[in-house]
Amino acid sequence: MIKILHCADIHLDSPFSLSDVKKANTRRALQRGTFTSIMLYARTEKVDLMLLPGDIFDTEYVTRDTASLLVKEFEQASGCRFVIAPGNHDPFSENSPYAKLKFPPNVYIFNSPLLTKFSFDDINTDVYGFAFTCDSMAVNPFAGQKPADSSRINILCCHGDITPGSHTCPISVSDIENSGFDYVALGHIHNSTGVQKAGDTFYAYSGCPEGRGFDECGKKSVILAIFAKDDGQFRGEFAAKQMSKRRYEKITADVSGAQTMHDVTEKVNEAVREGRFDADTTLRVTLTGDVSPSLIISTKALEESVMGLYYIEVIDKTRPCPEISDLEGDPTIRGAFYGELKEKLQSSDENERRAAERALRLGLAALSRM
């Protein structure tokens, strides 16, 4: 019986999609903290083998301090073997940190785009894999190949994409089903698929352990597994272990009928409470609904008013809702102003329509104060 930890797409030192530079820098520091927490977990759980299928860092951005942190953490977990399959963001090359850094002997790094293996006889396990050597890979290196010895625990650790037509190592479910591996540990997709099965082969994307943007929402985790193989029969137990220190979330708040900024703030706060978001949450709120045409929504003021979150970003997609029939028959400047915007308000171009709606709102609000 062996204990496995599957963790991919850490992307140490990569940029964060926050307009607040200070908080973006804080998030990068927390990302390192997440990595060290994962390593502590591996030591505490006495993991035999940690699978890292690519994009541990972004080669373009990785700092010397982060590179040193990697080596230090691997050294401290000397009882665990670490198998790395470089991905499209951290490809293996003679100038990459994988080639230049001196890693401890418990770190095993694939350095060829061809399928190769590392054998661990003490735990009756072979780990197969390959490396990206640039930022793309047109073919699947394991397609049509089988493990050498089916009596051993056979694992594939690799970076690749199940999305059809991908140029990032295209992998099909049938490739996995016909592979003969017991478990395929995948990297590249940042939202975990959970552990699935194709034929006799278990496979999973662990997802990234810490979200970096609003396309990586929710609590993030790694996969802890226990494997055994007796008389050629493989058994696997799997569990997702949350590791993220903060999370990204997106919600839509319908603020229909709002007359004042106070009304809008109350509705957003209610949505935050219903979502049970807290000080660990980076939240994007999209405002929708029909509101008073005289209401000017200040997204900046709203971002400063909603409390209890780590960070909030507000997108205003509300629509001014005057009585159009009244405006069409209005002989005053209000009616004339509406008439000038009417064609654009009915445009099939969303950007043009949104601009006209905002112009109508601002114009009517200004006229109401005259």
Side-chain angles (χ1 to χ4, degrees):
M1 184 176 72
I2 61 171
K3 192 173 287 188
I4 303 290
L5 197 63
H6 171 190
C7 173
D9 298 288
I10 305 170
H11 286 276
L12 292 168
D13 285 344
S14 67
F16 277 79
S17 59
L18 297 180
S19 57
D20 186 321
V21 175
K22 184 177 179 181
K23 287 195 173 180
N25 289 334
T26 300
R27 294 287 280 138
R28 276 190 285 273
L30 282 170
Q31 194 181 30
R32 291 188 192 184
T34 298
F35 172 69
T36 57
S37 294
I38 293 168
M39 297 299 290
L40 175 61
Y41 181 76
R43 296 196 301 271
T44 303
E45 287 291 320
K46 295 182 169 53
V47 167
D48 297 293
L49 190 60
M50 186 166 174
L51 307 171
L52 295 155
D55 291 358
I56 297 176
F57 48 80
D58 282 1
T59 300
E60 184 179 353
Y61 301 103
V62 67
T63 64
R64 183 176 298 176
D65 286 348
T66 295
S68 297
L69 176 67
L70 279 174
V71 173
K72 177 183 175 183
E73 290 292 337
F74 290 147
E75 286 175 340
Q76 289 181 343
S78 58
C80 178
R81 273 68 65 95
F82 298 90
V83 178
I84 299 172
N88 60 307
H89 284 276
D90 60 349
F92 188 95
S93 73
E94 61 182 15
N95 294 317
S96 71
Y98 292 131
K100 288 191 169 184
L101 293 175
K102 185 178 180 180
F103 286 97
N106 60 329
V107 177
Y108 301 80
I109 303 171
F110 292 109
N111 59 13
S112 168
L114 302 177
L115 187 70
T116 55
K117 71 173 179 177
F118 294 115
S119 292
F120 305 102
D121 293 337
D122 61 314
I123 53 175
N124 192 40
T125 298
D126 288 337
V127 181
Y128 292 75
F130 49 85
F132 275 69
T133 54
C134 62
D135 61 2
S136 65
M137 183 178 287
V139 297
N140 173 3
F142 74 85
Q145 301 205 48
K146 300 277 188 182
D149 186 348
S150 61
S151 69
R152 295 166 71 85
I153 294 173
N154 289 295
I155 298 169
L156 174 64
C157 177
C158 71
H159 205 77
D161 194 350
I162 289 184
T163 306
S166 173
H167 295 287
T168 315
C169 185
I171 297 171
S172 68
V173 174
S174 62
D175 288 337
I176 296 171
E177 181 177 0
N178 297 322
S179 68
F181 292 106
D182 298 307
Y183 180 63
V184 177
L186 294 166
H188 187 63
I189 303 298
H190 289 189
N191 293 314
S192 175
T193 60
V195 178
Q196 302 181 58
K197 198 172 185 183
D200 293 327
T201 301
F202 293 95
Y203 71 97
Y205 284 99
S206 64
C208 59
E210 185 78 44
R212 296 175 300 144
F214 292 106
D215 57 341
E216 299 173 359
C217 289
K219 296 177 179 179
K220 301 299 182 179
S221 58
V222 297
I223 295 173
L224 180 68
I226 297 174
F227 294 163
K229 200 166 196 178
D230 300 303
D231 299 323
Q233 295 298 309
F234 175 78
R235 301 190 311 278
E237 299 176 10
F238 303 91
K241 298 297 180 181
Q242 183 186 331
M243 289 293 167
S244 56
K245 297 181 181 299
R246 301 197 190 278
R247 58 176 169 149
Y248 283 80
E249 297 288 356
K250 295 185 291 188
I251 61 170
T252 298
D254 186 346
V255 296
S256 295
Q259 299 290 317
T260 66
M261 274 296 294
H262 177 74
D263 295 338
V264 175
T265 302
E266 284 298 301
K267 292 193 176 192
V268 172
N269 275 320
E270 181 181 353
V272 169
R273 288 192 295 271
E274 287 179 355
R276 297 183 178 181
F277 304 125
D278 54 24
D280 290 334
T281 306
T282 296
L283 183 67
R284 173 181 285 169
V285 181
T286 300
L287 306 180
T288 62
D290 297 329
V291 299
S292 169
S294 63
L295 173 60
I296 305 300
I297 295 178
S298 168
T299 56
K300 187 175 189 306
L302 189 56
E303 288 167 356
E304 293 172 350
S305 300
V306 177
M307 308 301 290
L309 301 169
Y310 177 72
Y311 177 87
I312 182 171
E313 176 180 296
V314 179
I315 298 173
D316 180 13
K317 288 193 175 182
T318 59
R319 296 171 299 178
C321 191
E323 291 294 335
I324 298 300
S325 58
D326 291 345
L327 287 175
E328 288 182 332
D330 192 332
T332 70
I333 192 172
R334 285 167 54 87
F337 179 61
Y338 167 74
E340 288 294 319
L341 291 172
K342 183 176 179 180
E343 184 177 344
K344 290 183 173 62
L345 287 165
Q346 297 171 350
S347 172
S348 59
D349 184 322
E350 182 180 359
N351 291 333
E352 184 176 47
R353 190 172 65 251
R354 298 290 302 170
E357 289 171 350
R358 180 162 178 78
L360 179 64
R361 177 184 294 167
L362 292 170
L364 291 177
L367 290 171
S368 71
R369 293 192 290 269
M370 292 178 65

